[in-house]
Amino acid sequence: MKPTISLLARLIDTLAPRSCTICGSRLTVTEEVMCACCNQCLPRTGYSKSAFDNRLSRLFWGRIPIEKGAALFFYKAHSDTSRLLYQLKYGGHPELGERLGQIVAAEFAQDGFFDGITAVLPVPLARQRERERGYNQSVEIARGVCEETGLPLLLNALERITFHGSQTQKDRWERNENVDKAFHLLDASAVSNQHILLIDDVITSGATLVAVAKEVLKGNNVKVSVLSLGFANNG
């Protein structure tokens, strides 16, 4: 249930108006991140309604034993909606990740997506990249998901031990090689006997999440599911 808009919130909104991340128009006091029009036009995948079998989930079949998979919207580079991820990753706006995490969690919960999931684990960033950016966008998304669902957030179970540049300009095979053995499970007890939801900002080839999942699955009796904001549907 949304909280009542306070007089202070209305005053702050008047003095410091906020704009839609997608189209730039002014947000009303009840809108967050994007305006109602852009929210309605967001190319949602609808995958939370068929989380066990959809195009994203099938991307991982034969690579890792995945339970469920879903993304909020279809991602296309340089599109209007891609500004959501550009601002989150490169614009210095970690608060976007937390709010988008809340939005996706609220929507997916209606379809029972989180049923059976016991903990949330965001994809770690390399220390160098996190220092440059000032935050890990996947952690911010995960915070929002956990705030909305009440699930525990695992931040110290896994680390990224290698970084060989961004995945953005690499093909599928280069992406696989780039993240092969890039992660290390620090605390097997934290993931053992858990159904872990892995969270990333955008899924393209799935290489990063496959590498993460392989480490997480070293724990005892672990199940994994995946969630992202964007899914680069190139097929």
Side-chain angles (χ1 to χ4, degrees), residues 119-156:
V120 174
L121 194 158
V123 172
L125 268 184
R127 292 180 183 177
Q128 172 191 343
R129 180 54 61 89
E130 189 164 352
R131 282 196 299 268
E132 292 171 354
R133 193 166 294 168
Y135 56 92
N136 177 349
Q137 69 276 3
S138 295
V139 168
E140 301 307 319
I141 297 166
R143 288 189 202 282
V145 169
C146 291
E147 287 170 10
E148 186 68 27
T149 62
L151 290 168
L153 177 61
L154 303 180
L155 292 178
N156 300 308

Side-chain angles (χ1 to χ4, degrees), residues 64-91:
I64 56 170
I66 185 175
E67 297 292 319
K68 297 185 274 190
L72 180 61
F73 66 93
F74 291 115
Y75 168 83
K76 184 177 180 180
H78 310 299
S79 66
D80 289 343
T81 52
S82 69
R83 292 171 189 158
L84 286 171
L85 294 181
Y86 291 162
Q87 286 299 310
L88 170 58
K89 292 182 71 168
Y90 310 117

Side-chain angles (χ1 to χ4, degrees), residues 20-21 37 44 48 62 80 87 143 154 179 185 193 205 223:
C20 173
T21 308
C37 182
R44 285 172 166 79
S48 59
D80 289 343
Q87 286 299 310
R143 288 189 202 282
L154 303 180
V179 294
L185 183 63
N193 302 306
S205 70
K223 296 180 180 179

